[in-house]
Amino acid sequence: MDSGELSHMENGDSKGKEVINGKTAHTMSSSILRKKSDPMLISSVRFQVLRHFLENLQEVILGTKLAVLFPAIPLAMAADFYKYGRPWIFALSLLGLTPLAERVSFLTEQIAYYTGPTVGGLLNATCGNATELIIALFALYQRKIHVLKYSLLGSIISNLLLVLGSSLLCGGLANLKKEQRYDRKQADVNSLLLLLGLLCHMLPLLFRYAAGGTGIFTGASILLLSRASSILMLVAYFGYIFFQLKTHRKLFESDQEEDEEDEKAVIGFWSAFSWLVGMTLIIALLSEYVVGTIEAASDSWGISVSFISIILLPIVGNAAEHAGSIIFALKDKLDISLGVALGSATQISMFAVPLCVVVGWTMRIHMDLDFSLLETGCLALSILLVAFTLQDGTSHYMKGVVLCLCYVAIAACFFVDKIPMEGDRVSKGELMAAARESNKGTEAVCENVAIIFGVTGLVGRELAKRLVSKPKWKVYGVARNPETFPIQSPKYHFISCDLLNSPETLQKLSSLHDVTHGFWVTWANQHPLDSPECCEQNRAMLSNSLNAILPASKALKHFSLQTGMSHYAAFEGEKNVGFFDEESPRMSTGCNFYYVLEDLLSETLDGKVGWSVHRPGVILGSSHRTQFNFIGSLCVYGAICKHLNFPFVFGGTRESWEESYIDGSDARLVAEQHIWAATNEEISSSYGQPFNSINGRSFTWKEMWASLGRKFGVEVPEEMFKEDFSFTKALGDKQKVWEEIVGKEGLVPTKMEDLANWEFLDILFRYPAKLLGSREKTDRLGFTMRYKTLDSILYWIDLMRDEKFIP
């Protein structure tokens, strides 16, 4: 359509059959839910500015049939401000997003009246699924890759099966006496792009499984392949936009008769632009609420995050365009319905997904195109089913019935199969299949199968990384909280499990029949460490786990327990001072849950299965899931000192400054000692072997502090001691400062307490007992790995910087 025709149509001749001002099927679908405004009341307002504002308010806020849902927005904000239930915040935010998605479509259409058809079409092509894209970007920013992938996958499947299926069903029932027809050309183009996107999604998955048995697989290869494929997908999508808006525009034009009122902008350009910016910001806020509370809603409602993300989010978030698509089908305008369903699916698959991969690339986040076997299989079957359904250019209600039932089947699959929400991409079904496969004869490939309890912790992560790198090992990683950096290997399977929940533990772990080695590197800390409640809680966790895996894992060879140097001293009360070997007696006072765990293993495994106990000092490693995280606490302290120009003082006692009071234990060394004890038949004992897990030569803070100050770029004063200095008092209120640092440096979003425990530093630098362990036993038995503690600290600081936890 040339400029003369466009001008002619804008002046009132609306009988042509063109796409007006870049209006797409998406915006036409949303327009079904708009209401005519009554200007009579507003026209009586005397003040022009107020009258103009009220006119805009009426058109934008009250101009939709979904306006009744707008109160959910302030309610969601109030619920967050007053710390109301997180599931309520999630539900209210989701409801609030529904009218906002329709209003963004309305505002982009208004802007298109002023920018012309090409720019207007481009706006709709990039903003048509703004809500889904913003939710995905927030999930990416918070490193909830599972939510990101599930939500985008759900949008594609929902558009292909639910929206298109319900449209064909309703349209067929409303037009029983005539055959419904549509133009196949547009559907063919969208189908080709969806198949290209499917190929790019399948390649990383196929590569992972093809390389898994050869030992040459690396997560970096999957990531590189995904990024290259994403660039190709974006090129194809922008080629599609050029194809749609320029060279083959007539393929995408739908027959429609527009009333004169519908062809005019009802608000000004800058008003529309301002409202669009404001609503985008509100969508961003609600999206942050949705992403931040989705797991809480999952726990509260007893529904998996996968089901909420794949099924509920797309249904509620896209209700406006879904309803519009059905209404157009009822009016026998299937070309518009197909444009809504296929166009949105194409935009998500070929634009939103690869865009998230590229954005993650710039943020150093490992976002790839591997959506796992179950999810990719559902996507592939959905695309192929729709392609077959649309191949003849005609429709009837039975096609809609089949598509809707397929969607119900997929929804049921994700409802009953509570896929692990954290990090890795292996479902419970795949987990059981892997175990069955192992029992059927893959022992030659994976002779050893480890289960690591506490895989997201300082030592657990190192254990998993080292074991999957070894030939003939497979690893199950168990943790309650998600993995920030999932381990990329087909030999690694993550299991989300609350070990305090006995039925859940039994359900999720009793199917693991192939475990040969267990590693316990977790503990519960909801109660004071010296309390009977802490002892009982930790005993319950270990007991639940053993009750689940021992009956199933007949080939279990060794179980490795990690405690600590506090084995030699009471947590509170009596303190022992000196150097300790593994045979030093237990303390006679106070409660110590380390003793409870050792006794439970002795009761359960003595004379049956080999087991060992490992006692590290201060563990040096990288994690934001560990309460006693020394490296994280030290790094946050250094970052705040630099940001506020504070002196980097020691803040402890002179005795701790000048003498060694506790050993350092590198997480790499502790992990290797676990593996050494678990696989060394010469030292294995079914009556328990204890080992001190320490770096080696003791250290003093005095000899290391200046090097740490230089590492953080902070001032190290001559006087290290201040009267009444306390890390808790000096830094406990610096959460806002840490948020400024995170934003300024572009770090992984964390709360200060995720990394830093000021009470721990206060205790560590003022510890009254000298807890120094002997390495004589481990050296004599052949475990000779050692680290200099300063080198360990500097190594882990660099690693936390690489992972963007600290500046």
Side-chain angles (χ1 to χ4, degrees):
M1 180 169 63
D2 59 30
S3 59
E5 291 174 314
L6 176 62
S7 176
H8 181 63
M9 294 186 71
E10 288 176 341
N11 288 329
D13 187 357
S14 60
K15 295 183 180 179
K17 296 178 180 179
E18 297 285 352
V19 176
I20 300 173
N21 286 323
K23 187 180 290 189
T24 64
H26 181 94
T27 54
M28 287 187 293
S29 174
S30 296
S31 67
I32 289 291
L33 296 176
R34 293 172 197 165
K35 296 192 303 183
K36 303 285 185 179
S37 60
D38 183 5
M40 295 300 295
L41 293 176
I42 297 177
S43 61
S44 62
V45 176
R46 296 177 57 185
F47 299 102
Q48 183 177 357
V49 175
L50 179 59
R51 184 170 63 252
H52 180 69
F53 172 75
L54 292 176
E55 288 173 350
N56 277 267
L57 192 67
Q58 185 178 49
E59 292 292 346
V60 177
I61 302 300
L62 302 178
T64 173
K65 298 173 184 177
L66 298 174
V68 67
L69 296 178
F70 274 121
I73 299 173
L75 289 175
M77 296 178 182
D80 178 70
F81 181 80
Y82 290 105
K83 307 300 181 185
Y84 203 60
R86 293 170 68 81
W88 280 103
I89 299 174
F90 175 82
L92 290 170
S93 300
L94 203 56
L95 289 176
L97 286 171
T98 302
L100 288 173
E102 189 275 327
R103 291 289 85 185
V104 166
S105 175
F106 163 74
L107 292 169
T108 53
E109 179 186 339
Q110 294 300 302
I111 293 175
Y113 281 111
Y114 298 96
T115 58
T118 301
V119 177
L122 187 60
L123 268 174
N124 285 311
T126 52
C127 299
N129 289 284
T131 304
E132 294 96 320
L133 184 57
I134 292 174
I135 290 176
L137 291 176
F138 266 101
L140 181 68
Y141 180 69
Q142 296 184 23
R143 296 185 183 247
K144 294 187 177 182
I145 306 300
H146 56 289
V147 174
L148 187 160
K149 290 183 175 180
Y150 289 155
S151 63
L152 294 180
L153 175 75
S155 290
I156 299 172
I157 294 177
S158 174
N159 278 292
L160 291 178
L161 298 182
L162 179 62
V163 182
L164 183 58
S166 55
S167 298
L168 297 183
L169 172 60
C170 294
L173 292 175
N175 297 274
L176 281 173
K177 296 183 179 180
K178 66 176 181 179
E179 184 179 55
Q180 286 190 295
R181 305 192 66 87
Y182 51 85
D183 190 350
R184 281 183 50 198
K185 296 176 182 177
Q186 177 182 351
D188 288 345
V189 174
N190 282 290
S191 296
L192 284 173
L193 283 168
L194 288 170
L195 288 170
L196 173 60
L198 175 61
L199 174 66
C200 293
H201 282 82
M202 291 185 65
L203 287 177
L205 178 69
L206 295 174
F207 182 78
R208 174 156 66 94
Y209 279 95
T214 64
I216 62 173
F217 168 83
T218 61
S221 300
I222 292 293
L223 202 57
L224 184 62
L225 176 60
S226 297
R227 288 168 177 173
S229 298
S230 295
I231 293 174
L232 294 177
M233 292 166 75
L234 288 173
V235 170
Y237 182 74
F238 288 117
Y240 164 69
I241 296 301
F242 186 77
F243 180 87
Q244 178 184 11
L245 299 180
K246 284 293 183 182
T247 61
H248 289 69
R249 184 171 178 173
K250 290 185 178 181
L251 290 181
F252 298 87
E253 293 173 353
S254 303
D255 290 351
Q256 56 173 319
E257 293 186 2
E258 297 284 345
D259 295 332
E260 185 175 355
E261 289 182 339
D262 292 334
E263 294 174 9
K264 295 179 181 179
V266 294
I267 60 175
F269 173 81
W270 288 111
S271 294
F273 182 79
S274 301
W275 278 104
L276 181 61
V277 171
M279 287 198 168
T280 302
L281 293 176
I282 297 175
I283 288 175
L285 177 64
L286 296 184
S287 298
E288 185 177 13
Y289 290 165
V290 166
V291 174
T293 59
I294 188 171
E295 283 155 345
S298 171
D299 292 339
S300 176
W301 299 342
I303 304 174
S304 66
V305 173
S306 59
F307 181 82
I308 293 176
S309 301
I310 295 176
I311 306 300
L312 295 187
L313 274 180
I315 291 177
V316 178
N318 297 326
E321 66 180 74
H322 292 185
S325 175
I326 294 173
I327 293 172
F328 274 114
L330 292 172
K331 295 181 177 181
D332 197 22
K333 296 183 178 181
L334 282 186
D335 285 320
I336 300 178
S337 296
L338 264 63
V340 172
L342 297 181
S344 291
T346 301
Q347 187 179 98
I348 295 294
S349 177
M350 299 298 292
F351 177 68
V353 173
L355 181 64
C356 288
V357 174
V358 173
V359 172
W361 187 1
T362 63
M363 298 169 63
R364 296 185 178 181
I365 297 175
H366 293 185
M367 165 65 185
D368 56 43
L369 294 177
D370 185 356
F371 279 40
S372 111
L373 184 62
L374 178 61
E375 290 85 349
T376 306
C378 291
L379 177 63
L381 292 174
S382 299
I383 292 174
L384 292 175
L385 187 64
V386 169
F388 278 112
T389 301
L390 301 178
Q391 63 181 337
D392 63 351
T394 63
S395 176
H396 45 74
Y397 72 87
M398 195 61 203
K399 289 185 176 181
V401 169
V402 172
L403 293 182
C404 289
L405 291 179
C406 288
Y407 186 75
V408 173
I410 291 175
C413 173
F414 287 109
F415 183 80
V416 301
D417 190 0
K418 293 191 176 182
I419 297 175
M421 298 305 105
E422 290 76 12
D424 212 321
R425 38 178 59 72
V426 183
S427 69
K428 179 183 172 186
E430 290 179 85
L431 205 57
M432 296 179 66
R436 288 195 299 269
E437 181 184 358
S438 180
N439 290 334
K440 287 181 180 178
T442 58
E443 289 84 356
V445 178
C446 291
E447 295 177 353
N448 301 304
V449 180
I451 183 168
I452 302 172
F453 299 93
V455 74
T456 58
L458 296 170
V459 175
R461 180 171 166 80
E462 281 301 305
L463 266 171
K465 287 165 58 179
R466 290 167 187 274
L467 288 175
V468 297
S469 68
K470 297 177 181 292
K472 300 182 181 181
W473 274 88
K474 182 172 73 175
V475 176
Y476 299 114
V478 181
R480 183 177 184 274
N481 292 317
E483 295 178 298
T484 303
F485 294 94
I487 295 173
Q488 306 287 338
S489 172
K491 299 193 297 180
Y492 176 74
H493 311 286
F494 183 82
I495 306 172
S496 170
C497 186
D498 180 2
L499 299 177
L500 283 170
N501 186 325
S502 180
E504 179 183 348
T505 304
L506 188 65
Q507 176 192 3
K508 292 187 175 182
L509 303 186
S510 61
S511 62
L512 308 181
H513 302 290
D514 53 348
V515 173
T516 59
H517 295 80
F519 299 91
W520 187 269
V521 289
T522 187
W523 57 290
N525 56 10
Q526 286 89 340
H527 299 285
L529 300 182
D530 62 331
S531 67
E533 291 83 3
C534 181
C535 293
E536 182 58 34
Q537 197 172 49
N538 280 277
R539 178 185 173 87
M541 286 177 61
L542 181 56
S543 178
N544 291 340
S545 303
L546 292 174
N547 290 339
I549 66 169
L550 289 181
S553 301
K554 303 298 184 182
L556 184 67
K557 301 176 183 177
H558 189 93
F559 197 93
S560 183
L561 169 68
Q562 180 174 301
T563 58
M565 291 296 290
S566 291
H567 174 92
Y568 305 112
F571 285 110
E572 297 292 341
E574 179 185 356
K575 296 296 180 186
N576 223 341
V577 178
F579 296 87
F580 303 92
D581 62 25
E582 288 81 352
E583 304 307 318
S584 298
R586 293 179 176 182
M587 299 298 294
S588 59
T589 61
C591 294
N592 192 324
F593 73 87
Y594 291 168
Y595 304 160
V596 173
L597 297 181
E598 285 191 26
D599 291 344
L600 178 58
L601 279 189
S602 178
E603 295 168 10
T604 309
L605 301 181
D606 271 1
K608 304 172 185 176
V609 176
W611 60 282
S612 58
V613 182
H614 303 265
R615 300 166 183 165
V618 177
I619 300 178
L620 310 173
S622 172
S623 173
H624 69 296
R625 296 277 158 68
T626 304
Q627 183 180 13
F628 296 143
N629 183 359
F630 169 72
I631 296 295
S633 302
L634 189 68
C635 289
V636 174
Y637 175 45
I640 291 176
C641 285
K642 183 176 181 180
H643 186 75
L644 298 179
N645 199 27
F646 283 179
F648 189 60
V649 299
F650 175 65
T653 64
R654 191 173 296 276
E655 290 77 14
S656 294
W657 168 258
E658 295 178 346
E659 299 184 48
S660 299
Y661 268 68
I662 196 165
D663 286 300
S665 301
D666 194 297
R668 295 169 293 176
L669 178 144
V670 181
E672 284 292 348
Q673 192 189 86
H674 276 284
I675 298 171
W676 167 75
T679 56
N680 191 328
E681 294 183 359
E682 295 181 2
I683 66 168
S684 181
S685 168
S686 60
Y687 292 93
Q689 277 271 43
F691 301 102
N692 290 337
S693 303
I694 55 179
N695 278 353
R697 185 182 74 84
S698 60
F699 65 93
T700 66
W701 296 114
K702 182 177 180 179
E703 66 187 14
M704 297 196 309
W705 203 255
S707 297
L708 297 179
R710 287 192 294 271
K711 188 70 171 178
F712 294 126
V714 294
E715 175 195 354
V716 179
E718 293 184 6
E719 180 55 49
M720 281 291 114
F721 309 100
K722 292 184 176 182
E723 278 190 37
D724 300 326
F725 179 89
S726 162
F727 286 99
T728 304
K729 292 179 181 178
L731 299 165
D733 61 348
K734 298 296 187 292
Q735 174 62 39
K736 293 295 183 183
V737 176
W738 179 246
E739 292 175 0
E740 291 177 10
I741 295 172
V742 170
K744 177 182 177 182
E745 302 291 339
L747 305 179
V748 175
T750 56
K751 297 179 180 178
M752 186 172 67
E753 56 267 27
D754 291 339
L755 296 175
N757 184 337
W758 305 128
E759 292 181 359
F760 175 48
L761 284 191
D762 281 328
I763 294 172
L764 182 65
F765 291 163
R766 293 175 172 80
Y767 199 71
K770 184 174 288 188
L771 284 177
L772 299 177
S774 167
R775 281 192 53 114
E776 188 276 330
K777 180 178 182 178
T778 55
D779 288 341
R780 172 171 48 84
L781 294 177
F783 184 76
T784 57
M785 176 181 284
R786 291 174 181 264
Y787 284 101
K788 292 182 179 180
T789 297
L790 176 60
D791 291 343
S792 290
I793 294 175
L794 297 179
Y795 168 84
W796 289 109
I797 290 173
D798 285 337
L799 187 65
M800 290 194 73
R801 282 176 172 168
D802 291 342
E803 293 180 335
K804 300 294 287 182
F805 281 123
I806 62 169

